[in-house]
Amino acid sequence: MYFSKKNLFLYISLFIILLFILLSIFAPFISIYDPTHINMSEILLPPSGQHFFGTDELGRDVFARVIYGGRVSLLVSFIAVFISISIGTILGLIAGYFKGIIDAVIMRFVDIMLCFPVFFLVLSVIAFLEPSIMNVMVVIGLTSWMGVTRVIRAETLSIKERDFIIAAKVQGLNNIVIIFKYILPNVFSPIFVSAVLGISSAIIIESSLSFLGLGVQPPTPSWGNILTSGKDYIMFAWWLSFFPGVAIFLTVLAFNMLGESLRDILDPKK
Amino acid sequence: MSSYILIRLIGLIPLLLGITLICFIVIHLSPGEPTDVLTALNPKASEMAREKFRKMYNLDKPLHIQYLIWLKKFIMLDFGNSFSQDRRPVLDKIFERLPLTLYLNISALILMFLIAIPLGVFSAYYANTLFDKVTTFFVFIGFAIPSFWLALLCMYYFGVVLGVLPISGIHSYNFESLSFAGKIIDIGKHSIMPVTLSVFSSLAGISRFARNSTLDVLSEDFIEATRARGLPERSILFNHALRNSLLPIITIIGLSIPALIGGSVIFESIFSLPGMGQLFYQSVMMRDYPTIMGILVIGAFLTLIGNLIADLLYMIVDPRVRL
């Protein structure tokens, strides 16, 4: 990996992602306003030097809300992806390594899960539990691991035929050690690519859930619910939905471009 | 060939069983009881009434028995009655909503492939040129913009500012008085925005896939050989490369159906379209268990049918499978 024009997309997307992560981490130092502070004397003000992104229908600073909302949205998607990647990787490794009946059972389970519209599953579970940050993260994680399992299984199948794995077996190492110490490090790049791409879908799912009133609940700001509450004012206070919309758009785009670039770079065939 | 189809059909049975089992588990592992919903609006509901409900819906039996009872009814196509005010059979409720959802999703699917495949093929042919970069960026925009936000902006612009497109429902109030052609145009006008937007938001997956698959094929030796034979580039790309790159693309038709159906919850809510997605959302909010389970199973079933169609298309495109 070297600095060249070819990797331009990669650098732009890394820059955007780092920017949003830093803004989220240092939110209290960047914005002087409290994202949940209601100020009825300053409602629906357009963007200005004082309120960079204007204020909303309750006089809250939209800039502060977008930054703090980024904290929640990014946290939700990172943890959701951590859950889905963990499940997907472990099942994929087991299926690919042991083959036979275990493999058949796991892969049929994947096939079945892939038949469901993911959004239907997420909606039904969230509606029964209550829509809290915790539940949103867990449910998104539990319903989006199937793709990872397929990829990791395929990789594991080819790696396990390689000489160093056979050597490890001859040494009498047990299966768990072989899987985690010898195979896992070799499937790291597809895991990484899936994780990066998964984050962008998780952000989109969270915002769609918020639109239906089942995402992260107000007053805690998330990009999804700021955008959703701003939609009623779309005709005369564009800034309420524009800025969170752009934040979601840029982040999702950046994670996607990063994922695609990484796939090209890490793929030894090209 | 017919034996191949038969084997595929038999292979669907365990999948169907698995689907019903997962639906059942998802609903029954959730906290709260269906009787809570039935009695929540009626504070006078006594413990005896709750007990009666439990008996009526077999909720007093152990879970695996409940599943078997449900499965048995399900095989006879009896999905039970809805918990909502109307208490109508679930199957009737779903089937009156299904045609609209199918119509919108199938139109979207066809349009998506008509746009995404050429985009992907040309992006691969002109890989890393300005054309490729612009298309990549364009399809990613569709994926990255929250679809409901874009839908609202379009509704506002095309429906309110320009006033050229209707913004809700599937037909106008005077629908009944229109001529046959008028009816078709009316439905067409109402479906332009929902279909276009759902295509735009799912273009990225397939066009990128088509691009990568065509790139792989274009780097193979037989393409170089056809070029050496002096065939025109157009023929190389469409007669020789596309036929091979289509194979993996076809297999993801089936995989793209769940996403489309899932997306219909959003689009049908925004455009007030009385389809299955809207029914699902209403049922979820009312905890209408029988309807939720019915739609989950039917949604998964549609995906299975999609996969089957993809397999059949695969056989048509690739003669090797037929052998």
Side-chain angles (χ1 to χ4, degrees):
Chain A
M1 219 165 96
Y2 49 93
F3 193 90
S4 76
K5 250 187 157 175
K6 219 180 119 200
N7 290 336
L8 190 64
F9 272 159
L10 178 77
Y11 297 112
I12 297 174
S13 49
L14 270 179
F15 172 76
I16 296 174
I17 292 167
L18 276 179
L19 180 74
F20 276 110
I21 292 178
L22 290 176
L23 281 176
S24 313
I25 294 174
F26 297 107
F29 305 103
I30 292 163
S31 169
I32 48 170
Y33 296 99
D34 177 347
T36 52
H37 177 71
I38 295 173
N39 181 353
M40 292 315 259
S41 62
E42 290 195 329
I43 58 167
L44 296 175
L45 294 178
S48 65
Q50 232 181 0
H51 298 283
F52 301 135
F53 293 177
T55 60
D56 69 3
E57 74 279 13
L58 296 172
R60 295 173 297 194
D61 184 61
V62 177
F63 181 68
R65 289 182 66 69
V66 169
I67 291 182
Y68 278 90
R71 274 188 161 185
V72 176
S73 290
L74 290 176
L75 187 75
V76 166
S77 49
F78 275 77
I79 295 188
V81 166
F82 178 76
I83 295 173
S84 70
I85 290 286
S86 309
I87 301 175
T89 305
I90 291 174
L91 288 181
L93 285 171
I94 293 176
Y97 186 79
F98 291 107
K99 293 208 233 172
I101 185 98
I102 302 177
D103 179 32
V105 170
I106 293 179
M107 293 326 283
R108 283 304 80 71
F109 185 47
V110 168
D111 288 345
I112 292 167
M113 287 295 286
L114 278 174
C115 285
F116 289 107
V118 168
F119 201 59
F120 276 21
L121 274 188
V122 174
L123 267 185
S124 31
V125 179
I126 291 272
F128 291 123
L129 308 167
E130 57 202 277
S132 65
I133 293 185
M134 187 66 184
N135 289 342
V136 171
M137 292 188 303
V138 172
V139 173
I140 296 177
L142 288 180
T143 47
S144 46
W145 49 270
M146 294 81 78
V148 186
T149 305
R150 281 197 166 171
V151 174
I152 301 302
R153 173 182 175 268
E155 291 282 322
T156 309
L157 278 178
S158 75
I159 289 170
K160 98 176 259 225
E161 302 303 326
R162 303 241 299 263
D163 290 343
F164 70 97
I165 299 294
I166 297 168
K169 273 188 191 161
V170 173
Q171 275 181 20
L173 290 176
N174 80 34
N175 290 330
I176 297 179
V177 175
I178 296 177
I179 289 177
F180 286 99
K181 214 172 152 193
Y182 293 91
I183 297 183
L184 186 60
N186 284 295
V187 294
F188 198 70
S189 49
I191 292 178
F192 198 56
V193 172
S194 312
V196 171
L197 293 173
I199 289 171
S200 56
S201 337
I203 293 176
I204 290 278
I205 296 181
E206 191 278 321
S207 72
S208 305
L209 278 176
S210 286
F211 170 73
L212 297 174
L214 295 168
V216 175
Q217 296 297 300
T220 309
S222 78
W223 285 339
N225 71 30
I226 307 172
L227 180 55
T228 302
S229 63
K231 74 177 197 297
D232 303 331
Y233 300 87
I234 213 164
M235 298 182 197
F236 49 90
W238 55 270
W239 55 92
L240 291 194
S241 54
F242 179 75
F243 293 109
V246 169
I248 294 177
F249 169 67
L250 283 179
T251 318
V252 171
L253 195 63
F255 275 108
N256 250 298
M257 291 199 306
L258 181 66
E260 292 255 336
S261 318
L262 283 177
R263 178 153 44 200
D264 289 346
I265 292 167
L266 296 173
D267 189 353
K269 274 175 277 176
K270 282 171 188 164
Chain B
M1 182 161 159
S2 58
S3 66
Y4 174 78
I5 297 175
L6 194 70
I7 291 170
R8 285 284 300 141
L9 282 174
I10 293 171
L12 291 185
I13 295 172
L15 283 183
L16 263 176
L17 277 179
I19 287 168
T20 57
L21 189 61
I22 291 194
C23 288
F24 190 81
I25 292 172
V26 163
I27 304 297
H28 285 266
L29 282 187
S30 319
E33 261 192 84
T35 52
D36 294 347
V37 197
L38 284 169
T39 52
L41 294 173
N42 181 6
K44 277 186 268 174
S46 62
E47 196 45 45
M48 241 170 77
R50 282 164 187 270
E51 210 48 55
K52 217 176 107 192
F53 273 127
R54 283 195 201 111
K55 275 228 159 63
M56 204 164 111
Y57 292 101
N58 295 312
L59 295 169
D60 53 343
K61 304 213 167 59
L63 270 184
H64 61 279
I65 304 285
Q66 281 189 46
Y67 172 68
L68 289 178
I69 293 173
W70 179 69
L71 189 65
K72 205 172 119 194
K73 282 187 174 171
F74 173 79
I75 291 168
M76 319 279 233
L77 287 180
D78 173 10
F79 285 34
N81 287 346
S82 160
F83 280 1
S84 67
Q85 295 299 320
D86 55 18
R87 297 284 148 87
R88 291 175 49 214
V90 169
L91 206 59
D92 291 1
K93 284 183 90 163
I94 296 176
F95 276 148
E96 70 188 23
R97 304 275 198 135
L98 196 56
L100 179 60
T101 302
L102 282 182
Y103 155 69
L104 292 171
N105 282 320
I106 291 173
S107 326
L109 202 62
I110 292 172
L111 198 61
M112 192 161 83
F113 277 84
L114 287 181
I115 298 172
I117 293 176
L119 269 189
V121 169
F122 282 115
S123 286
Y125 191 73
Y126 297 108
N128 298 322
T129 61
L130 186 66
F131 173 81
D132 181 28
K133 295 209 163 99
V134 171
T135 17
T136 304
F137 194 67
F138 172 75
V139 294
F140 274 158
I141 289 178
F143 177 76
I145 291 188
S147 50
F148 65 91
W149 185 47
L150 188 63
L152 290 165
L153 289 175
C154 289
M155 267 167 96
Y156 175 55
Y157 189 70
F158 294 106
V160 181
V161 177
L162 295 181
V164 287
L165 287 175
I167 55 172
S168 79
I170 189 63
H171 41 63
S172 313
Y173 293 110
N174 59 351
F175 185 70
E176 290 307 321
S177 65
L178 293 172
S179 64
F180 181 68
K183 281 182 180 169
I184 292 179
I185 293 173
D186 192 48
I187 292 181
K189 260 185 147 178
H190 280 82
S191 26
I192 289 178
M193 267 204 282
V195 170
T196 316
L197 287 167
S198 96
V199 170
F200 187 46
S201 64
S202 41
L203 212 52
I206 293 174
S207 74
R208 293 299 290 171
F209 198 81
R211 177 184 180 271
N212 293 339
S213 146
T214 311
L215 262 185
D216 287 347
V217 174
L218 282 178
S219 65
E220 281 188 39
D221 292 340
F222 79 92
I223 294 291
E224 214 44 50
T226 47
R227 205 165 268 147
R229 271 158 56 205
L231 287 177
E233 287 293 301
R234 178 185 297 269
S235 157
I236 294 175
L237 192 56
F238 288 100
N239 296 343
H240 298 264
L242 186 61
R243 261 191 99 104
N244 286 284
S245 63
L246 262 184
L247 296 175
I249 300 172
I250 286 172
T251 49
I252 62 166
I253 294 182
L255 287 175
S256 61
I257 291 175
L260 271 179
I261 297 179
S264 57
V265 177
I266 301 278
F267 288 111
E268 287 175 10
S269 316
I270 294 179
F271 292 101
S272 329
L273 299 164
M276 200 172 75
Q278 198 194 43
L279 178 67
F280 187 72
Y281 178 57
Q282 291 164 349
S283 314
V284 160
M285 296 314 267
M286 288 189 300
R287 294 196 172 193
D288 183 351
Y289 287 64
T291 315
I292 295 173
M293 297 220 276
I295 297 181
L296 273 178
V297 174
I298 298 234
F301 188 63
L302 289 177
T303 311
L304 282 184
I305 295 177
N307 283 329
L308 200 65
I309 294 175
D311 274 2
L312 295 181
L313 282 176
Y314 207 103
M315 280 198 310
I316 294 168
V317 178
D318 188 358
R320 280 168 297 187
V321 180
R322 263 175 275 166
L323 296 174

Coordinates of all heavy atoms in Angstrom, one line a residue, chain B residues 4 21 34 43 45 55 58 91 97 136 140 145 154 176 181 188 225 227 238-239 287 307 318-319:
Chain B
Y4 N -34.1 -32.4 -12.2 CA -33.3 -31.4 -11.5 C -34.3 -30.5 -10.7 O -34.1 -30.2 -9.5 CB -32.5 -30.6 -12.5 CG -31.7 -29.4 -11.8 CD1 -30.6 -29.6 -11.1 CD2 -32.2 -28.1 -12.0 CE1 -29.9 -28.6 -10.5 CE2 -31.5 -27.1 -11.4 CZ -30.4 -27.3 -10.7 OH -29.8 -26.2 -10.1
L21 N -40.1 -22.6 11.8 CA -39.6 -22.8 13.2 C -39.0 -21.4 13.7 O -39.2 -21.0 14.8 CB -38.5 -23.9 13.2 CG -38.0 -24.3 14.6 CD1 -39.2 -24.8 15.4 CD2 -36.9 -25.3 14.5
P34 N -49.4 -12.4 24.1 CA -50.4 -11.9 23.2 C -51.7 -11.4 23.9 O -52.3 -10.4 23.5 CB -50.8 -13.1 22.3 CG -49.7 -14.0 22.4 CD -49.0 -13.8 23.7
P43 N -59.6 -2.7 30.5 CA -59.1 -2.9 31.9 C -60.0 -3.8 32.7 O -59.6 -4.4 33.7 CB -59.1 -1.5 32.5 CG -59.9 -0.6 31.6 CD -59.9 -1.3 30.3
A45 N -61.0 -6.6 31.7 CA -60.7 -8.0 31.3 C -60.2 -8.7 32.6 O -59.2 -8.4 33.2 CB -59.7 -8.1 30.2
K55 N -56.6 -20.3 26.3 CA -57.1 -21.6 25.8 C -57.4 -21.6 24.4 O -57.1 -22.4 23.6 CB -58.3 -22.0 26.6 CG -58.1 -22.7 28.0 CD -58.9 -23.9 28.1 CE -58.3 -24.9 29.1 NZ -58.3 -24.3 30.5
N58 N -54.4 -21.6 22.3 CA -53.5 -22.7 22.8 C -52.3 -22.2 23.5 O -51.2 -22.8 23.4 CB -53.1 -23.6 21.6 CG -54.2 -24.3 21.0 OD1 -55.0 -24.9 21.7 ND2 -54.4 -24.2 19.7
L91 N -54.8 -14.9 6.4 CA -54.5 -15.2 5.0 C -55.2 -14.2 4.1 O -54.6 -13.7 3.1 CB -54.9 -16.6 4.7 CG -54.0 -17.2 3.5 CD1 -52.6 -17.2 3.9 CD2 -54.5 -18.7 3.2
R97 N -53.4 -7.7 0.2 CA -52.3 -6.7 0.2 C -51.1 -7.2 -0.7 O -50.4 -6.4 -1.2 CB -51.7 -6.6 1.6 CG -52.7 -6.2 2.6 CD -52.9 -4.7 2.6 NE -53.5 -4.2 3.8 CZ -53.1 -3.1 4.4 NH1 -52.0 -2.5 4.0 NH2 -53.7 -2.7 5.5
T136 N -19.8 4.6 -10.4 CA -19.6 4.0 -9.0 C -20.1 5.0 -8.0 O -20.9 4.6 -7.1 CB -18.1 3.8 -8.7 OG1 -17.6 3.0 -9.7 CG2 -17.8 3.2 -7.4
F140 N -23.4 4.5 -5.5 CA -23.2 4.6 -4.0 C -24.0 5.7 -3.4 O -24.4 5.5 -2.2 CB -21.7 4.8 -3.7 CG -20.9 3.6 -3.7 CD1 -19.5 3.6 -3.9 CD2 -21.5 2.3 -3.4 CE1 -18.8 2.4 -3.8 CE2 -20.8 1.2 -3.4 CZ -19.4 1.2 -3.5
I145 N -27.7 7.4 0.7 CA -28.7 8.4 1.2 C -29.9 7.6 1.9 O -30.3 6.6 1.3 CB -29.4 9.1 0.0 CG1 -28.3 10.1 -0.5 CG2 -30.6 10.0 0.5 CD1 -28.9 11.1 -1.6
C154 N -38.2 14.0 -2.6 CA -38.8 13.8 -3.9 C -40.3 14.2 -3.8 O -40.9 14.8 -4.7 CB -38.6 12.4 -4.4 SG -37.0 12.1 -4.9
E176 N -62.4 5.0 -10.2 CA -63.4 4.2 -10.8 C -64.0 4.7 -12.1 O -64.5 4.0 -12.9 CB -64.6 4.0 -9.7 CG -64.2 3.1 -8.5 CD -63.6 1.8 -9.0 OE1 -64.1 1.2 -9.9 OE2 -62.6 1.3 -8.3
A181 N -57.5 2.5 -20.1 CA -56.2 3.1 -20.3 C -55.9 4.1 -19.2 O -54.8 4.2 -18.7 CB -56.1 3.7 -21.7
G188 N -49.7 3.7 -13.0 CA -48.4 4.0 -13.4 C -47.8 5.2 -12.8 O -46.7 5.2 -12.2
A225 N -8.7 -14.3 -27.2 CA -8.8 -15.1 -28.4 C -9.8 -14.6 -29.4 O -9.6 -14.5 -30.6 CB -9.1 -16.6 -28.0
R227 N -10.8 -11.6 -29.5 CA -10.2 -10.3 -30.0 C -9.3 -10.6 -31.2 O -9.3 -9.9 -32.2 CB -9.5 -9.6 -28.9 CG -9.5 -8.1 -29.1 CD -9.1 -7.3 -27.8 NE -10.3 -6.9 -27.0 CZ -10.3 -6.9 -25.7 NH1 -9.3 -7.2 -25.0 NH2 -11.4 -6.5 -25.1
F238 N -20.8 -8.2 -25.6 CA -22.2 -8.7 -25.3 C -22.4 -10.2 -25.6 O -23.2 -10.8 -24.9 CB -23.2 -7.8 -26.0 CG -23.3 -6.4 -25.4 CD1 -22.6 -5.4 -25.9 CD2 -24.0 -6.3 -24.2 CE1 -22.7 -4.1 -25.3 CE2 -24.1 -5.0 -23.6 CZ -23.4 -4.0 -24.2
N239 N -21.8 -10.7 -26.7 CA -22.0 -12.1 -27.0 C -21.1 -13.0 -26.2 O -21.5 -14.1 -25.8 CB -21.8 -12.4 -28.4 CG -22.8 -11.6 -29.3 OD1 -23.8 -11.2 -28.8 ND2 -22.5 -11.5 -30.6
R287 N -48.8 -5.6 17.8 CA -48.5 -6.9 18.3 C -49.5 -8.0 17.8 O -49.9 -8.8 18.6 CB -48.4 -6.9 19.8 CG -47.3 -6.1 20.3 CD -47.0 -6.5 21.7 NE -45.8 -5.8 22.2 CZ -45.2 -6.1 23.3 NH1 -45.6 -7.2 24.0 NH2 -44.1 -5.5 23.7
N307 N -35.4 -17.6 -5.5 CA -34.2 -18.5 -5.7 C -34.4 -19.6 -6.7 O -33.5 -19.9 -7.5 CB -33.8 -19.1 -4.3 CG -33.1 -18.1 -3.4 OD1 -32.4 -17.2 -3.9 ND2 -33.3 -18.3 -2.1
D318 N -26.9 -21.2 -18.8 CA -25.7 -22.1 -18.8 C -26.1 -23.5 -19.1 O -26.6 -24.3 -18.3 CB -25.1 -22.0 -17.4 CG -23.7 -22.7 -17.3 OD1 -23.3 -23.3 -18.4 OD2 -23.1 -22.8 -16.3
P319 N -25.8 -23.9 -20.3 CA -26.1 -25.3 -20.8 C -25.4 -26.4 -20.0 O -25.9 -27.5 -19.9 CB -25.7 -25.3 -22.2 CG -24.9 -24.1 -22.5 CD -25.1 -23.2 -21.4

